Amino acid sequence: MSKKEKKAGYLLPIRTGVLAQIFGLIGVFCLFVTSGCTKKQTPETDNSEYIKVGEVGSMTGAEATFGISTHRGILLAFEEINKLGGIKGKKLKVVSLDDQGKPEEAATAITKLITQDKVVAVIGEVASSRSIAMAPIAQQNKIPMISPSSTNPKVTELGDYIFRVCFIDPFQGLVMARFAYENLKIKKVAVLRDSKNDYSVGLSDVFTESFKKAGGVIVEDKSYSAGDIDFKSQLTSIAAKNPEAIYVPGYYTDVGLIARQARELGLKVPLLGGDGWDSPKLKEIGGDNINGSYLSNHYSTEDQSPHVQKFIQSYKGLHNEAPDGLAALGYDAAKILAEALLRATDDSSPALRLAIAQTKNFQGVTGLITIDEKRNAAKSAVVLKVDQGDFKYQTTIKP
């Protein structure tokens, strides 16, 4: 936890045992990890002047930057709300648990937050596979759960207490298919998917269908499993089909390695992907090899809208770094929950669920958000280009 986060008084899980270093991020963000999700409770957490909100995220593990960025976005939102007096005279406090990027840990974490911490709602998870593991538990206990960035359609199909503030894979896959065919004038694409990741499989299927429907051809469709480090067999097979681009909707660690190995094999075509690329680690792992590639995402730091620039400056002031898309979505999820808490007619879970469901035209950092009848957020997507280590805005595509 950073000094500023510690000063803000927010809880993170404190576990005895193994000291887990989080990918060297920022250099000061460390958590103590033990078996299970046991957490030390501070007296003020039980004080009735607080409204406790649970958070489940991957603070450690292969996708640690997703959880950390989301957490920091939530902290900023709650700090702003609490400075203005909180919600109905009470301050918001986030109780966060690290799931280590594992679905089974995510399920354990949300169970503890609901049954032991008695949180009013849960924000999380970032990844679809982990949100799918958590959603039945939230639904069974009738505690609203808001995923900031799980894009697989199955997530909100698991119950009427499950929401999200991001777009879904059918739209994100369509966005990149349309951009590749119409903007890049590409006609032949190969697909390289993570076969054990609901997010990657879902995006690959939608991209393939949309690209073919537009008139394009999928010349090869290969797969890998998260954690693999050698992709040369799949890339050699792809190179033999001479694609004009490769669609790789995986997470940043795998994509960075794939970019390096593709260039080593002489594959110089652009890689295309989704919001799972959004991490500073992508550029660290992929180096110059990832330059010239494109991803669909939720927002751009180049957006000059006053509320976006205010968020960026406030985030930098609190965390001393620029916010990525996951941070923006964590911020929006927290603000939408806070607004719903303010509008809810009473303190019950059904009232809060109804208030979230009635969210309409909420001006978020990641766009104008209305929760639809399937509890998804209808909103635009942006396409960014990796250019000399930066994400450069290319275009906005509306639903």
Side-chain angles (χ1 to χ4, degrees):
M1 188 188 301
S2 71
K3 291 181 179 178
K4 287 183 177 179
E5 289 162 348
K6 191 177 293 182
K7 184 179 179 181
Y10 295 103
L11 286 180
L12 280 172
I14 301 174
R15 305 173 180 179
T16 59
V18 181
L19 179 65
Q21 186 174 11
I22 307 172
F23 275 85
L25 280 172
I26 314 303
V28 294
F29 197 98
C30 295
L31 302 171
F32 290 88
V33 179
T34 72
S35 59
C37 297
T38 305
K39 160 184 60 59
K40 291 181 179 178
Q41 197 93 314
T42 61
E44 66 177 2
T45 307
D46 292 325
N47 192 315
S48 60
E49 69 180 290
Y50 290 98
I51 298 174
K52 289 192 291 186
V53 174
E55 179 199 6
V56 180
S58 53
M59 307 298 181
T60 59
E63 294 102 37
T65 67
F66 289 167
I68 293 169
S69 292
T70 302
H71 177 69
R72 290 179 172 175
I74 294 170
L75 290 186
L76 174 60
F78 281 10
E79 179 175 284
E80 291 178 352
I81 294 163
N82 287 340
K83 280 184 177 178
L84 294 175
I87 302 295
K88 299 176 181 176
K90 295 184 178 182
K91 291 188 176 182
L92 296 174
K93 183 177 285 292
V94 62
V95 185
S96 300
L97 291 179
D98 173 22
D99 60 26
Q100 305 166 51
K102 301 174 181 176
E104 62 274 18
E105 286 290 335
T108 300
I110 192 172
T111 300
K112 287 183 177 293
L113 288 170
I114 293 172
T115 62
Q116 296 183 19
D117 294 294
K118 308 296 183 184
V119 298
V120 300
V122 176
I123 299 176
E125 228 273 358
V126 167
S128 295
S129 297
R130 299 192 284 276
S131 286
I132 288 171
M134 293 165 53
I137 300 167
Q139 182 65 29
Q140 182 180 7
N141 288 278
K142 297 193 181 303
I143 294 296
M145 169 181 146
I146 303 177
S147 170
S149 47
S150 292
T151 51
N152 189 296
K154 293 179 185 175
V155 172
T156 51
E157 293 172 359
L158 293 171
D160 62 355
Y161 275 74
I162 315 303
F163 300 86
R164 79 178 103 218
V165 299
C166 58
F167 47 63
I168 59 176
D169 289 342
F171 177 60
Q172 185 174 197
L174 173 65
V175 164
M176 188 49 72
R178 185 186 300 174
F179 178 77
Y181 193 84
E182 297 179 1
N183 295 62
L184 299 180
K185 310 299 182 187
I186 285 173
K187 309 302 180 190
K188 298 189 302 178
V189 173
V191 174
L192 181 54
R193 66 176 77 195
D194 179 350
S195 61
K196 294 184 178 178
N197 184 322
D198 293 328
Y199 161 82
S200 184
V201 171
L203 270 182
S204 296
D205 289 345
V206 174
F207 175 88
T208 297
E209 180 182 351
S210 302
F211 191 67
K212 286 181 176 177
K213 190 174 181 179
V217 177
I218 303 298
V219 297
E220 185 63 292
D221 191 334
K222 305 297 288 185
S223 64
Y224 67 93
S225 296
D228 289 352
I229 58 173
D230 188 346
F231 306 91
K232 290 185 177 177
S233 175
Q234 297 95 321
L235 291 169
T236 298
S237 178
I238 286 172
K241 300 298 177 65
N242 295 313
E244 297 172 87
I246 308 172
Y247 188 57
V248 193
Y251 292 151
Y252 58 87
T253 303
D254 298 330
V255 174
L257 292 173
I258 289 169
R260 288 169 53 182
Q261 294 176 25
R263 299 303 182 253
E264 289 172 7
L265 292 172
L267 268 168
K268 300 185 182 303
V269 298
L271 304 184
L272 313 175
D275 57 339
W277 289 22
D278 190 6
S279 169
K281 288 290 180 183
L282 173 72
K283 291 163 275 191
E284 288 184 28
I285 298 169
D288 292 339
N289 304 292
I290 198 68
N291 284 332
S293 296
Y294 300 88
L295 67 150
S296 52
N297 209 352
H298 304 272
Y299 100 120
S300 168
T301 55
E302 295 179 310
D303 186 336
Q304 295 303 308
S305 301
H307 69 283
V308 174
Q309 290 303 311
K310 178 180 180 297
F311 160 73
I312 292 171
Q313 293 308 313
S314 297
Y315 189 94
K316 287 180 177 177
L318 184 61
H319 300 303
N320 197 31
E321 64 179 10
D324 57 20
L326 280 299
L329 286 167
Y331 180 86
D332 281 352
K335 284 294 185 79
I336 284 176
L337 174 60
E339 187 194 59
L341 283 164
L342 194 61
R343 286 189 284 105
T345 54
D346 57 50
D347 295 337
S348 69
S349 289
L352 178 56
R353 191 211 73 80
L354 180 61
I356 298 170
Q358 292 175 334
T359 299
K360 182 178 292 184
N361 295 328
F362 177 87
Q363 183 59 69
V365 173
T366 60
L368 200 62
I369 300 172
T370 293
I371 301 297
D372 66 19
E373 68 280 4
K374 295 183 178 179
R375 298 169 300 285
N376 299 320
K379 58 200 293 193
S380 300
V382 298
V383 177
L384 308 177
K385 181 179 182 179
V386 186
D387 183 7
Q388 301 303 316
D390 292 326
F391 291 140
K392 296 293 186 183
Y393 173 80
Q394 301 297 297
T395 189
T396 297
I397 296 181
K398 297 181 179 179

